[in-house]
Every structure is written in structure tokens, then in C-alpha cells.
Amino acid sequence: MMFSRPSFTSLRVLALCLAVTGSLADDITGPCDIYASGDTPCVAAHSTTRALFGAYTGSLYEVTRGSDNSTVDITPLSAGGVANASAQDSFCSGTTCLISTIYDQSGYGNHLTRAPPGGADSGPEADGYDYLSSAEGAPVTLNGQKAYGVFIPPFTGYRNDKPNGTATDDDEEGMYAVLDGTHYNDMCCFDYGNGETDNIDPGAGAMEAIYFGSHNLSGWGSGLGPWVMADLEDGLFSGYDPTNSPDDVSIDFRFVTSILKGGANKWSLRGGDSTTGNLTTYYSGIRPSGDYSPMIKEGAIVLGVGGDNSNKAQGTFYEGVMTTGYPSNETEDAVQANIVAAKYATTSLTTGPDLPVSTNSTISLRATTACCTTKYISHDGDTVHTAVVTSSSSDADKQAASWTVRTGLANSDCFSFESVDTPGSFIRHSSYQLKVNANDDSKGFGEDATFCPQASLNSEGNNTIRSWSYPARYWRQYNGLGYIASNGGPFNFDATNLFNDDASWVVTAGFA
Ligand SMILES: *[C@@H]1O[C@H](CO)[C@@H](O)[C@H](O)[C@H]1NC(C)=O
Ligand SMILES: *[C@@H]1O[C@H](CO)[C@@H](O)[C@H](O)[C@H]1NC(C)=O
Ligand SMILES: *[C@@H]1O[C@H](CO)[C@@H](O)[C@H](O)[C@H]1NC(C)=O
Ligand SMILES: *[C@@H]1O[C@H](CO)[C@@H](O)[C@H](O)[C@H]1NC(C)=O
Ligand SMILES: *[C@@H]1O[C@H](CO)[C@@H](O)[C@H](O)[C@H]1NC(C)=O
Ligand SMILES: *[C@@H]1O[C@H](CO)[C@@H](O)[C@H](O)[C@H]1NC(C)=O
Ligand SMILES: *[C@@H]1O[C@H](CO)[C@@H](O)[C@H](O)[C@H]1NC(C)=O
Ligand SMILES: *[C@@H]1O[C@H](CO)[C@@H](O)[C@H](O)[C@H]1NC(C)=O
């Protein structure tokens, strides 16, 4: 009963809106307006890219910048519209920015902030919390307008452990999320949805969250993944069978609509291409055998981590909601049509001046910190360091400081840097240190060896070089060694002092 009132309220708001502005055709309709008209209203609505109610003009998300730790709220350009990305760009210009809050647009106050430690994993921050996402890791366009998604590397996550109005126990709920179908891994667990309020796994049925990735140790679908699955706690489910359900097919869409809904001894998994076409139902039926009926849902909200803060997975989130009630197929089909109409598309991952050479030419990179302006990025064996190199240095020293620019191994919009003296070996990060290692052609190596140049953080450099896979981290020299460092992160090489200078490089034609 407690949920009928908000649903009535949302319908009244919608009706009021229509009364003021005339017809629905004149109005923007958001996914949550569609869920409300199906009598399964949103009780949580999260997106950094757009408003999810046609009338919503409030804050979408908050960014915190590295230069002074100040924050700004990003709002839509208009009611129901796309986020004002240029507000983020100007606030973050010349510094680094993290997404510190993803606001709930539903009026229930279910905002998402940094995820706390849990039964499975603690986060790497000093207080055991997980990392925040870079604000710049997942640029996209919606209907041609730029916006930023939430790029979630391992050890990064958001959560709300004091939820308001979300489903508990065996209550009915629905949810969807729009994700990047090319950003995933096989670890546990890139989730969005219902989790535990104390971050501890009490056993089967305590969660009901969308999972996306290629983890195949409990449930899996057909092919090699990634799959949309359900994290019901103590396992991922692709259908009734607790292991393999072939109807849950591997995804190859860049933008994925993923859908999960559950109620008393029933649940369903659906998905599709967020840019075209209809949803496919991967499963619709009774709960898996075991202790899944009744469910013991707790109602917390997780994003990017499992219910016990299992935090080794990765993925990208653009928008998502949770509802009360079990949405009809028709309601979800209309939500999919709304997502398609939002016209998600990719855009460039690089900003600022291009590298001053083209793909396949060689470059050298000079430090810009006052201590070290004669030093270049070089390597000694597999260790990347900075070393003084001049036109009269030995050929070996020149070659060690020269890098061939290659198309990014994991993303062709970014770059990889092949060692001139050790062809086949690339600069990659490993435990946050820059290394030169042989390319083993694995997905993980390519991701660790892909970097996205952006405008320099100081005025002397040409470029600052962002890690594709950990976009809050940038190439930095610290005590003479190369790292991927975050501005104010937990490690000594993340120190804020001299961060912009240490992470800015003058890019020149290669010595060799
Ligand atoms: C911002 O806050 C972090 C964490 O409290 C701190 O390490 C850092 O020094 C602060 N940065 C600035 C510029 O004050
Ligand atoms: C978007 O943000 C910019 C920069 O803060 C601001 O000047 C502009 O007015 C905003 N646009 C809208 C439509 O609010
Ligand atoms: C919970 O949600 C209701 C319905 O939107 C809202 O009126 C109330 O203020 C919310 N409570 C909190 C603590 O945000
Ligand atoms: C799970 O994935 C691994 C690595 O890709 C693969 O070797 C294994 O065969 C897969 N297991 C199943 C059951 O598909
Ligand atoms: C796709 O969904 C729309 C409604 O959103 C429906 O009109 C159309 O028939 C569906 N197409 C197919 C192939 O199922
Ligand atoms: C939704 O569609 C699935 C697959 O066609 C079907 O099994 C299920 O009964 C439908 N649900 C409802 C409520 O109609
Ligand atoms: C790179 O920066 C250096 C030093 O500021 C400058 O002389 C050079 O013109 C820049 N190159 C490009 C291509 O912007
Ligand atoms: C760069 O070199 C690779 C390997 O030799 C080649 O396949 C590719 O076409 C070259 N790209 C450009 C832009 O020249």
C-alpha cells in the first residue's frame, strides 16, 4: 500500500504537466513518465546523461575537481533534456574531475555516492571506500549533444545503503540500465540494482540487480559473453537453470539496454540494442531452485559493485531506474523506444591538440615539472622512468626514449605506445606503475596499454595522457618513475603537489 501514493502523485504531476502544456506530443516524455503511466513508478532514477522525467530540471550529478576539491551540480540543458556537458567542461578545465554524486531524479532521495567497504572487498581509498569515477571517461552524444557516462574501472563503485521506497523481501520491482556493451570483464560484479543495506552477503535471494559482463563461474548464457544476467546473491543467473541458460545470448551492441524484474516466484531478464530495435526476452518464468522464493531483498542500491562490495569488475553506466511493481512487457517496450529516440552515439575520447605526429610515427615526451625539464619518458628493462636525453646522447639512450604511436590496442579512438628498441612491447600500467611489456594479445593487456591524450593540464605541455581503463589516472612522473596517478588518490604517487606539472608532457618528434 505504501507505494500506491507516490504512483498516484507521479501520475498527477504528469497530468498537471499535460494540462499546462497541452498535449503529450508537445511534451518530452521520459522513461519514468512511461513507468508511471504503467502504474509501476520509478523510485530511483539515475543518469549523468539526461533527465529521466520529461519535467525534470534538477541536478543530474555532482562533480568534484582536483584543483580545490570544490563541487558543481550538472543539470539538464532544458526540462527532460540532455546534461549540460559544457558546464562540466568549463568547471574541470585545467584540472581533474570525479563524479562524486549521482542524484536520484525520482524525488525519493536515493542518491548514489562512493561505495563503502563490504564483506567481500574493501576499496583502495584510505577509509576502505571504493574509488569514484572520472567525469571524463565515457563521453557520448545524445541526439548530437555531448554528455558523459560513468566509466567504472575495478575498485570503483557507488551505493545507497539508506534507501527510500525500493522493494524489499518478495516485493515486486523492475529496473533497467543502459550500459556500454564493449566495456566489461569476467570478474564479480558490475551490477546495478537492489543490494544489501549492510554490504554483507547473508545468502541466497538478498539481491536483485542487473549484472553485465562475462563472469561464468555461476551462471552464464550462450557464447563467450558478455551477458545480461541477474545477481540474486550467491550467484549470477541467466535463467531458471543455476548454470547455463542458452537463451541468454552474448551481446555485441555498443549500447545495451538491460532489464530485470522480479516478484513472488517470478522474474524476467530482457535486453536489446539501445540504438535500434526491440527488446528480446532472455528469460521469463519462476525463480531458480534453491532459496529464491521468497526473496529476502534488502532494498539498498548498488552501481558497479556486488552486494558485498565485490569490486573487481568494470563497466560503463549511462542511465538506469528502479521501479515498484512488476512492469509490463509493453511498458518496457515503450521505455526501449524512448531510449532509442534519445539517440545514444559514440564521440571522440581525446581532447585538446592531437599528438603532434600521426599514427605510426615516433615521439618522445619531455617532462614539464621545473625540476626535470631535460628529462624524457624512457625505460630501463621493463621499468618506465624519466631520463635526461639530448641530441648527443647515445643511440641506445635515444631509442629507449622513443615510442611509436599505434592505434589503441583496446580502443581505436585512443593510442598505444610501442617501444622503439623493443618492438612488440608497449607501455602499459601494472599495479599503477608504467611498464614496458610484450603484448600478449590479451584483452587485459590491450586495455592496460591504451591511453587517451587530452589537453595539457599545465600551459607548458602539449598533452596529458589519460589511461583508457582507469580514466581518473594519468601518466605522471614521480620520484623519477612513471605511474598512472590520480590527483589526490590514496598512494604517494597520487599526491596533489605538482600534479598538473608532473602529468603534462611536451610531445616532440622521436629522438630515434
Ligand atoms: C582534496 O581532498 C583530498 C582528500 O581529502 C586531499 O587528499 C587533497 O589534498 C585535497 N586537495 C586539495 C587541493 O585540497
Ligand atoms: C550550460 O553551462 C554553461 C556553463 O556553466 C552555462 O553558461 C550555460 O548557461 C548552461 N546552459 C544551460 C542551457 O543551462
Ligand atoms: C522518500 O520518498 C518520498 C516520496 O517521494 C519523499 O516524499 C520523502 O521525502 C523521501 N524521504 C527522504 C528521506 O528522502
Ligand atoms: C569460462 O571462461 C573461461 C575463460 O574464457 C573459459 O576458459 C571457460 O571455458 C568458460 N567456462 C564456461 C563454463 O563457459
Ligand atoms: C517492436 O515494438 C513495437 C512497439 O514498441 C511494436 O510496434 C513492433 O511491432 C515490434 N516489432 C517487432 C518485430 O516485434
Ligand atoms: C512478457 O513476455 C514474455 C516472453 O514473451 C512472456 O513469457 C511473459 O508472459 C510476458 N509477460 C506478461 C506479463 O505478459
Ligand atoms: C608543444 O609544446 C611546445 C612547448 O610548449 C611548443 O613549442 C610546441 O609548439 C607544441 N607543439 C604542438 C604541436 O602543439
Ligand atoms: C600503421 O602500421 C600498421 C602496422 O604496420 C599498419 O597496419 C597500419 O595501416 C598503419 N597505419 C597508418 C595510419 O599508417
Side-chain angles (χ1 to χ4, degrees):
M1 273 334 281
M2 70 177 280
F3 301 127
S4 60
R5 211 175 308 146
S7 133
F8 178 65
T9 308
S10 335
L11 286 172
R12 236 180 29 185
V13 169
L14 182 63
L16 205 69
C17 226
L18 297 183
V20 171
T21 58
S23 74
L24 191 60
D26 298 329
D27 251 354
I28 295 176
T29 301
C32 287
D33 303 312
I34 296 167
Y35 279 113
S37 61
D39 216 17
T40 50
C42 295
V43 292
H46 301 117
S47 177
T48 55
T49 63
R50 64 168 180 150
L52 300 176
F53 290 86
Y56 191 75
T57 54
S59 297
L60 301 173
Y61 64 107
E62 177 196 72
V63 296
T64 300
R65 68 181 172 196
S67 52
D68 58 2
N69 282 337
S70 67
T71 63
V72 70
D73 285 348
I74 306 299
T75 55
L77 289 164
S78 56
V82 175
N84 188 352
S86 65
Q88 174 181 311
D89 290 341
S90 55
F91 181 74
C92 301
S93 174
T95 184
T96 56
C97 265
L98 301 174
I99 295 173
S100 36
T101 303
I102 304 167
Y103 292 107
D104 175 15
Q105 304 174 26
S106 75
Y108 280 74
N110 287 316
H111 312 308
L112 298 175
T113 55
R114 224 156 49 98
D121 287 317
S122 286
E125 296 284 10
D127 54 5
Y129 278 56
D130 293 321
Y131 291 136
L132 293 171
S133 287
S134 162
E136 290 149 321
V140 288
T141 60
L142 282 75
N143 261 315
Q145 285 169 314
K146 191 173 184 186
Y148 292 97
V150 189
F151 187 104
I152 298 183
F155 319 119
T156 304
Y158 294 82
R159 192 162 188 132
N160 184 314
D161 277 340
K162 295 197 163 45
N164 177 22
T166 53
T168 55
D169 296 322
D170 226 12
D171 289 346
E172 294 185 340
E173 67 175 343
M175 65 191 74
Y176 83 86
V178 176
L179 308 170
D180 179 343
T182 66
H183 183 212
Y184 63 91
N185 66 13
D186 60 3
M187 304 300 284
C188 178
C189 283
F190 180 74
D191 288 350
Y192 174 72
N194 198 314
E196 294 90 336
T197 50
D198 61 359
N199 318 319
I200 289 172
D201 170 6
M207 288 187 74
E208 188 162 65
I210 292 164
Y211 164 85
F212 185 73
S214 58
H215 189 278
N216 68 7
L217 296 176
S218 47
W220 68 95
S222 53
L224 297 173
W227 305 281
V228 176
M229 295 196 281
D231 190 341
L232 303 180
E233 198 51 283
D234 281 357
L236 302 176
F237 290 84
S238 53
Y240 175 76
D241 191 302
T243 58
N244 179 239
S245 299
D247 287 349
D248 193 9
V249 295
S250 294
I251 300 286
D252 62 1
F253 312 126
R254 171 62 175 76
F255 296 98
V256 177
T257 306
S258 52
I259 291 193
L260 171 65
K261 53 186 167 182
N265 202 20
K266 63 177 179 181
W267 70 289
S268 179
L269 209 48
R270 310 181 76 200
D273 182 338
S274 303
T275 68
T276 185
N278 288 1
L279 298 169
T280 300
T281 299
Y282 303 132
Y283 180 75
S284 178
I286 60 169
R287 294 286 186 185
S289 59
D291 293 328
Y292 294 93
S293 187
M295 298 284 282
I296 52 167
K297 290 181 284 203
E298 298 185 18
I301 305 172
V302 293
L303 170 58
V305 291
D308 53 6
N309 196 44
S310 300
N311 64 7
K312 296 183 182 66
Q314 64 186 23
T316 297
F317 175 90
Y318 300 104
E319 60 176 76
V321 311
M322 295 165 68
T323 74
T324 58
Y326 196 78
S328 69
N329 291 341
E330 292 68 27
T331 294
E332 290 167 346
D333 294 344
V335 167
Q336 163 68 0
N338 179 280
I339 295 166
V340 170
K343 289 195 166 55
Y344 273 93
T346 55
T347 189
S348 178
L349 282 162
T350 62
T351 60
D354 284 342
L355 292 170
V357 292
S358 55
T359 307
N360 289 349
S361 14
T362 70
I363 59 169
S364 292
L365 300 103
R366 182 171 66 74
T368 65
T369 315
C371 62
C372 306
T373 55
T374 56
K375 290 186 166 183
Y376 289 79
I377 292 183
S378 177
H379 75 108
D380 178 11
D382 68 0
T383 302
V384 171
H385 63 170
T386 52
V388 175
V389 185
T390 67
S391 55
S392 49
S393 293
S394 69
D395 285 352
D397 287 350
K398 287 179 176 173
Q399 284 196 7
S402 298
W403 310 94
T404 306
V405 178
R406 301 292 188 193
T407 301
L409 294 173
N411 189 304
S412 60
D413 199 31
C414 295
F415 298 96
S416 294
F417 300 88
E418 186 174 4
S419 167
V420 164
D421 65 18
T422 316
S425 287
F426 290 78
I427 297 180
R428 60 87 64 95
H429 65 82
S430 175
S431 301
Y432 308 122
Q433 235 192 300
L434 291 177
K435 298 276 184 183
V436 174
N437 288 152
N439 179 11
D440 64 8
D441 290 326
S442 66
K443 177 175 177 290
F445 184 92
E447 293 177 350
D448 291 348
T450 298
F451 301 95
C452 307
Q454 62 179 50
S456 177
L457 287 173
N458 73 8
S459 56
E460 192 186 346
N462 309 111
N463 290 105
T464 286
I465 299 177
R466 189 173 80 232
S467 162
W468 177 82
S469 55
Y470 285 79
R473 294 184 167 275
Y474 304 82
W475 282 16
R476 179 189 198 171
Q477 55 140 5
Y478 188 81
N479 285 346
L481 294 176
Y483 295 91
I484 53 165
S486 77
N487 193 3
F491 302 105
N492 56 1
F493 52 81
D494 294 330
T496 54
N497 187 37
L498 296 177
F499 186 89
N500 283 8
D501 290 341
D502 285 350
S504 297
W505 306 94
V506 172
V507 183
T508 61
F511 277 107

